[in-house]
Amino acid sequence: MFSYLTFKIALQYIFRSRTLKFAKFVAFISVAGIALGVAALIVDTAIMQGLHSNLKSRILSITPHIIADNFKSSDKLLEFDDVLAVTPFIQEQALLQTPGGLSLVYVQGIDENNLKLKNGIFKSDLDLVRIPKKGSYQLNAMASVYLDNNIRLNTQARLISTINSRYTPLGITPSQRIFTLKYYFPSTNTNNSIATVIGNIDDVRRLFRLRENSLKLRIYTKDAFKIDKVKQYLDKNNVSYNLWSDYQGDFFKAIALEKVTMTIMLALIIIVAAFNILSALSMMVTSRLNEIAILKTIGLSDTKIKGIFILMGLIVGVLGTFIGVIIGIPLTYAVVSYMNSMGTMSAVSASIDMTNLIYVAIGSILMSLIFTLYPASRAAKADPVLNLNRG
C-alpha cells in the first residue's frame, strides 16, 4: 500500500497541485486546526496535572493516608514498599471556641517521638508540620482557622468534645480543655470541609480521655493512590481502618472529572479539524477521478490508490500534530508564567508528562487516519472506464 511512488504522489497532490486551490486551503486549515487542538490539549493536561500534583501534596500531607486501629505488628507494615512510616495517632472532631465564635474542627494528635521510619527514610521526607511539645497544650492550626474566626496567634481557645463525656448530677458534661493557638500552617481544606488543628498526642489524648492502648496508627505511604497492597494486608489481619478517600475522596473525584471534561472539550477541536481532512480529501477525489483512472490504467492497484489518499491524510495529521507539540510545550510555560504574574491566586505549576504527550500525539494521528478511510476507499473503488474521459 505504501511505497515511494504513493508517497511522492501524495506530496504532489498536497503541496504542488495547481488545481483545486480551495481543497488545498481546507487542508491547510486542517493542519492549523489539529495544531491548535493539540497545543490546547497539551496546555490543559499539563496545568491540570500540575494542579492535581500540588493539591495531592498539600492536602494529603495533612490528611492521613491510612488510619488503622492500634496494630501491634506495626513493624511489619514498614516492610511494604509503599509504606514510609507509622506512628501512634488520634483524629477526632471537636468544637473550637474562640473569641471569634464556634467552629467544628478535626483535632489531630501525633506522636513524633514514637515515629517509626523505613530504613533510608528521614523525618523531613514526610513533610510534617510542627508538632507542639508535650504538656504545652498548644495547637498548630490551619491558617483558615485564624481567618475564619478573626483571631491572632497566641489566642487561647477552648476545645469541646462529647467523646467520653461524663455523667454528673447536672447532666452529661463534655470534655473540654484550654489550648493556645501558637502556630499555623497553610490551609489545605477544600470548600465546605472541616479545618484541622494539630497538637501533641498526650495533650490531645487527655482532651478526649483516651487510654494509651486505644490510640490508632497513622500510616504514611509514598502515594496515597497506590495503597492496595497495604489494604489487602490489613483486611487479611481483620484490622479496621479509614482511608484518605473517606475525607477527601469526593474532592479528588471532582478534580478528575473536571480534567476529563476539559480533555473531551478540547479533543473536539481535533475532531473538527479531522472533519476538514475528510472534506478536503473528498473534494480532491472528486476532482481527480480522471487522474485516478489514468493511474489505474498504467498499473496502479486499488490498494496503492487507497494508500495515496491515506498518506495525504496522515501527512496532514502528522504535520498538524508536530506543530501542535512544538507550540504547546512553550505555550504551557508561558500560560503558567502569566497566571503566576497575576498574583491573585496560589502559585500555578505545570507538569508536562511524556506519556501524556505521546497519548495526545497518537490520538491526533489516529483521528486523522480514521477520517481518511472513507475518501481513500472511494478513490480506490473509482471505475477507470467511466472516469477516463472526465476533466
Side-chain angles (χ1 to χ4, degrees), residues 355-368:
T355 303
N356 286 338
L357 284 179
I358 293 173
Y359 284 154
V360 170
I362 292 177
S364 174
I365 294 171
L366 284 177
M367 192 64 63
S368 303

Side-chain angles (χ1 to χ4, degrees), residues 7 22 33 38 49 53 72 98 106 161 180 183 188 190 321 358 384:
F7 184 74
F22 182 72
V38 169
Q49 186 64 36
S53 299
K72 295 181 180 179
T98 67
Y106 277 120
S161 171
T180 302
Y183 313 104
T188 57
T190 56
T321 301
I358 293 173

Side-chain angles (χ1 to χ4, degrees), residues 98-381:
T98 67
L102 282 171
S103 58
L104 186 65
V105 295
Y106 277 120
V107 183
Q108 291 185 2
I110 300 176
D111 192 350
E112 200 172 19
N113 296 326
N114 291 316
L115 180 67
K116 295 181 180 180
L117 299 167
K118 183 194 289 289
N119 290 334
I121 301 298
F122 301 95
K123 190 182 294 186
S124 58
D125 296 330
L126 302 180
D127 196 24
L128 295 174
V129 299
R130 184 168 184 173
I131 310 299
K133 295 181 180 179
K134 177 181 178 180
S136 65
Y137 289 97
Q138 295 175 346
L139 294 175
N140 190 355
M142 282 184 178
S144 60
V145 173
Y146 296 89
L147 296 174
D148 293 343
N149 293 282
N150 195 23
I151 56 177
R152 299 180 179 180
L153 292 173
N154 297 314
T155 298
Q156 288 193 330
R158 186 186 302 273
L159 282 175
I160 306 171
S161 171
T162 57
I163 297 175
N164 294 325
S165 299
R166 293 178 178 175
Y167 290 90
T168 68
L170 299 178
I172 298 177
T173 303
S175 174
Q176 54 184 307
R177 281 185 180 271
I178 301 295
F179 284 79
T180 302
L181 294 167
K182 185 69 175 179
Y183 313 104
Y184 77 95
F185 58 91
S187 298
T188 57
N189 53 318
T190 56
N191 291 337
N192 300 321
S193 65
I194 302 174
T196 300
V197 298
I198 299 174
N200 186 277
I201 193 167
D202 287 300
D203 299 343
V204 174
R205 182 173 61 82
R206 289 185 173 90
L207 165 68
F208 294 117
R209 297 170 181 164
L210 298 174
R211 297 179 180 179
E212 291 189 10
N213 59 5
S214 64
L215 300 180
K216 295 189 177 181
L217 197 68
R218 177 171 179 171
I219 304 173
Y220 296 85
T221 63
K222 288 181 181 179
D223 189 342
F225 290 81
K226 298 178 181 179
I227 53 178
D228 291 338
K229 292 182 179 179
V230 181
K231 287 168 54 180
Q232 292 173 4
Y233 178 73
L234 294 175
D235 289 332
K236 184 178 179 180
N237 288 272
N238 296 321
V239 177
S240 60
Y241 56 87
N242 296 101
L243 304 176
W244 66 269
S245 55
D246 297 332
Y247 308 100
Q248 301 290 353
D250 292 339
F251 175 73
F252 280 97
K253 287 179 181 177
I255 293 293
L257 180 60
E258 183 178 359
K259 183 178 178 181
V260 171
T261 303
M262 289 294 295
T263 301
I264 292 174
M265 290 176 62
L266 294 175
L268 291 176
I269 299 175
I270 301 177
I271 294 176
V272 171
F275 269 109
N276 289 334
I277 295 176
L278 175 64
S279 301
L281 289 181
S282 296
M283 285 187 286
M284 286 186 178
V285 169
T286 301
S287 66
R288 296 183 182 279
L289 288 175
N290 187 302
E291 296 178 19
I292 294 171
I294 294 173
L295 290 173
K296 285 190 173 184
T297 56
I298 63 176
L300 252 66
S301 64
D302 291 350
T303 302
K304 289 190 179 295
I305 295 295
K306 182 184 292 186
I308 291 172
F309 289 92
I310 289 177
L311 279 174
M312 290 174 64
L314 280 177
I315 291 171
V316 171
V318 170
L319 185 60
T321 301
F322 178 75
I323 295 174
V325 171
I326 296 299
I327 296 174
I329 294 175
L331 182 62
T332 299
Y333 292 110
V335 170
V336 169
S337 177
Y338 174 75
M339 294 175 69
N340 288 331
S341 67
M342 297 292 288
T344 57
M345 59 186 75
S346 300
V348 179
S349 63
S351 176
I352 298 180
D353 186 12
M354 186 58 65
T355 303
N356 286 338
L357 284 179
I358 293 173
Y359 284 154
V360 170
I362 292 177
S364 174
I365 294 171
L366 284 177
M367 192 64 63
S368 303
L369 175 62
I370 291 172
F371 281 88
T372 63
L373 295 180
Y374 170 73
S377 298
R378 184 183 168 196
K381 293 178 181 178

